[in-house]
Amino acid sequence: MRSLLLLPVLTFALHGQESPLSARVQAAPRLRVDALRQLQGELALETNPAKGYYEGLLDYEIVAQTRDQDPEGAEALLNRSLAAIRTRKDPESLALQAALLGLKIGFEPSAAMSLGPRVESLFDEARDAAPGSPRVLLLQGINVLHTPAFFGGGADAALPILQAAVKAA
């Protein structure tokens, strides 16, 4: 269920007036790792002000796709991405930090008790700063979808958040 049916619709709605490369980065969840790595190379040449955010999105998707085949490499990429985005305080970057930390819990389940509240705090901060941001809502919805039900996650909990993201887009 990693690929959500509404994600392509949201991705299309989110990148309206952005560059073609930015639009392709927003479509990252539909791409394979080799295409994501190609985009990383192209993004390295960009001067887009949102470059750090887009790099983080690509890293997020690469980690999500490679964590089972190459856990050490995926975790190293995740840690580099977290370090790179740590200083950004715009709402979308805060939500991306939260999503990356959510992935980190998968590598360190014993850290869930400390990272879980940090994830929620970052999502709350991002939503407070940009209450109607479809990107913030989308990342939060995906995070809730992959959170175990006994921690308040799952499909039923994620659906209203993802519907709000579609509506906001």
Side-chain angles (χ1 to χ4, degrees):
M1 183 174 232
R2 194 183 64 71
S3 296
L4 301 170
L5 294 177
L6 59 95
L7 197 54
V9 173
L10 246 179
T11 301
F12 177 76
L14 292 175
H15 65 66
Q17 298 178 351
E18 296 176 0
S19 73
L21 179 59
S22 298
R24 289 178 41 221
V25 170
Q26 291 298 322
R30 298 186 311 237
L31 302 176
R32 293 176 179 232
V33 174
D34 56 338
L36 293 167
R37 294 195 193 284
Q38 173 68 30
L39 276 175
Q40 280 181 319
E42 292 176 37
L43 188 58
L45 303 174
E46 282 275 309
T47 57
N48 189 318
K51 179 178 175 176
Y53 174 76
Y54 292 136
E55 288 170 336
L57 280 178
L58 291 175
D59 291 348
Y60 175 90
E61 191 58 38
I62 290 170
V63 169
Q65 288 188 34
T66 62
R67 65 181 164 204
D68 293 333
Q69 299 84 14
D70 180 16
E72 291 175 3
E75 187 172 15
L77 177 59
L78 176 61
N79 290 333
R80 280 193 306 272
S81 188
L82 279 166
I85 201 166
R86 180 181 56 229
T87 59
R88 295 182 56 104
K89 300 300 178 195
D90 59 282
E92 291 173 357
S93 293
L94 292 172
L96 182 57
Q97 286 177 54
L100 289 166
L101 285 174
L103 283 177
K104 188 155 185 73
I105 292 171
F107 289 101
E108 298 177 35
S110 63
M113 296 306 282
S114 62
L115 291 178
R118 179 73 179 132
V119 168
E120 289 303 314
S121 174
L122 284 166
F123 275 127
D124 288 346
E125 192 176 340
R127 262 193 341 273
D128 289 347
S133 169
R135 289 181 180 155
V136 169
L137 291 166
L138 175 62
L139 286 170
Q140 182 182 23
I142 292 170
N143 184 71
V144 170
L145 179 66
H146 295 290
T147 299
F150 58 88
F151 286 120
D156 290 340
L159 185 59
I161 300 167
L162 294 169
Q163 287 173 329
V166 170
K167 185 178 180 182

